[in-house]
Amino acid sequence: MKRLLVTGGCGFIGSEFVRQQLANYPDQTVVNLDALTYAGNVENLAALEGNPRYEFVHGDITDRNLIDTLLKDKPFDAVVHFAAESHVDRSLLDSGPFVRTNVLGTQVLLDASRAAKVDKFVHVSTDEVYGSLGATGLFTEETPLAPNSPYSASKASSDMLVRSYFHSFHFPAVITRCSNNYGPYQFPEKLIPLFITNLMANEQVPIYGTGTNVRDWIHVSDHCRGIDAALRKGMPGEVYNFGGRCEKTNMEITLLLLELLEKPQSLIRYVADRPGHDLRYAIDCSKAERELGWTPQVVFSEGLRDTINWYRENTTWTSRVKSGAYRQYYQQQYASRLA
Ligand code: NAD
Ligand code: DAU
């Protein structure tokens, strides 16, 4: 895998993946294609400026001409596809961009990658395509897809397209499905970075419903090591689940953050629940452990402490991404939840 095309490399997980690839594989080049939506920041990879093995291309995965030309002109061994609209709450406000990028964009990329005869295509998906668990059980790769939000429905649709290209054309694609990531550079609209940055500013933290919903947390570096393993060792046509074996209720996360940041519980604000809020996600990642030799390594308490430190040390990044259009989105979102 000497020449990689990464989509969405200016986002949270994609930028960690690009950093890891360039650090771990000295003879590898990475082209990062990103549309720089509100969630994408070139700044996330500023440390790579001038690196001869890294190139940034500003563009949209739904732009067929651009994608066809890029894949025709530059021979890539593999494509790792992160680019997506990724936030459930935004998909409840407007599902249009989710269908456009996550479904149509994936189709454009699949067609161009197939024509370019890439050796491997890794489609980065999510455990949310499986729907919601009750109090017990785990998602396995055999769990039927039952997406509940427009976001997860668009990701499940893209998974089905990828699956169909393998079955119809023997296209060498693998699908990865991971649980909730946390770590540096996560856009502060998601639970952990939103709560860290709000608490740092002594602002309230809005808990949806009763705070009893459960997520399975994994450090972004563990997720990216899993994607790397799927890229190099994954069998075409297969799905690999990744998770942190770290189930926590949203209230547990909130209390931990209050303790680590030394803030009072009076900053907790209960707000209206997310419509269709999935109760619990939890991943069985034994297939990836068995077949890819991967295992999650970061201990949650340590990863969370490091993440808090990162946000403390990068307040310029945070205030920039939290300003302007984001502020407006956040205020509208929470005004409607308080109403
Ligand atoms: P993110 O929102 O932080 O980043 C998405 C990136 O994609 C941004 O850089 C954005 O500019 C880019 N992008 C969006 N639309 C584009 C388009 N049309 N063309 C080109 N680039 C475009 O997302 P993330 O949290 O880093 O998630 C990355 C991937 O991982 C997504 O596919 C998501 O579904 C999946 N995933 C995320 C999590 C999680 O916990 N965050 C867990 C499992 C899977
Ligand atoms: O499971 C993987 C998925 O995890 C990814 O596919 C998504 O891209 C990613 O956004 C994430 O989805 P969630 O909806 O689980 O993440 P979010 O951080 O938005 O919410 C986590 C939990 O916290 C969820 O139960 C809703 C709750 N929540 C979230 C926010 C933003 C709150 O209680 N208050 C909040 O303000």
Side-chain angles (χ1 to χ4, degrees), residues 182-183 186 188 190-203 205 253 257-258 260-261 263 303-312 318 322:
Y182 71 99
Q186 186 168 28
K190 310 279 167 66
L191 180 78
I192 288 184
L194 173 69
F195 280 24
I196 292 174
T197 53
N198 276 15
L199 290 174
M200 278 168 50
N202 294 313
E203 286 176 20
V205 287
I253 295 282
L257 291 175
L258 286 168
L260 291 168
L261 286 153
K263 300 291 176 181
L304 194 62
R305 215 175 284 268
D306 290 349
T307 303
I308 290 174
N309 287 338
W310 187 88
Y311 282 94
R312 277 182 165 143
T318 310
K322 268 188 127 173

Side-chain angles (χ1 to χ4, degrees), residues 131-136 139 148 210-215 247-250 273 276-282:
S132 184
L133 291 164
T136 59
F139 293 133
N148 289 321
T210 55
T212 48
N213 301 66
V214 173
R215 298 292 183 263
E247 290 184 51
K248 302 255 180 250
T249 64
N250 296 335
D273 208 354
H277 198 169
D278 285 339
L279 176 67
R280 177 172 164 261
Y281 305 146

Side-chain angles (χ1 to χ4, degrees), residues 118-229:
V118 300
D119 295 333
K120 193 67 96 48
F121 184 101
V122 181
H123 178 62
V124 181
S125 189
T126 167
D127 63 353
E128 293 199 14
V129 298
Y130 297 125
S132 184
L133 291 164
T136 59
L138 298 172
F139 293 133
T140 73
E141 288 81 358
E142 309 305 321
T143 303
L145 302 198
N148 289 321
S149 71
Y151 162 68
S152 53
S154 69
K155 291 297 288 189
S157 307
S158 64
D159 287 17
M160 292 294 96
L161 271 175
V162 174
R163 177 189 146 89
S164 78
Y165 275 58
F166 169 73
H167 282 274
S168 305
F169 310 123
H170 305 294
F171 180 68
V174 299
I175 297 174
T176 64
R177 296 190 181 130
C178 189
S179 62
N180 287 61
N181 286 220
Y182 71 99
Y185 295 100
Q186 186 168 28
F187 196 89
E189 63 187 350
K190 310 279 167 66
L191 180 78
I192 288 184
L194 173 69
F195 280 24
I196 292 174
T197 53
N198 276 15
L199 290 174
M200 278 168 50
N202 294 313
E203 286 176 20
Q204 290 184 333
V205 287
I207 294 193
Y208 298 167
T210 55
T212 48
N213 301 66
V214 173
R215 298 292 183 263
D216 172 358
W217 293 95
I218 181 171
H219 194 268
V220 64
S221 62
D222 278 337
H223 182 194
C224 289
R225 285 190 310 99
I227 294 167
D228 178 59

Side-chain angles (χ1 to χ4, degrees), residues 70 76 92 96 105 144 163 181 208-209 212 229 232 238 267 328 330:
L70 182 66
F76 293 106
L92 296 164
R163 177 189 146 89
N181 286 220
Y208 298 167
T212 48
R232 286 157 211 283
E238 291 294 315
L267 286 174
Q328 211 182 340
Y330 180 75

Side-chain angles (χ1 to χ4, degrees), residues 10-13 34-35 37 40 60-61 82 84 86 101 125 151 155 181:
C10 291
F12 163 48
I13 307 173
D34 198 297
T37 67
D60 195 309
I61 56 166
F82 292 91
S86 69
T101 287
S125 189
Y151 162 68
K155 291 297 288 189
N181 286 220

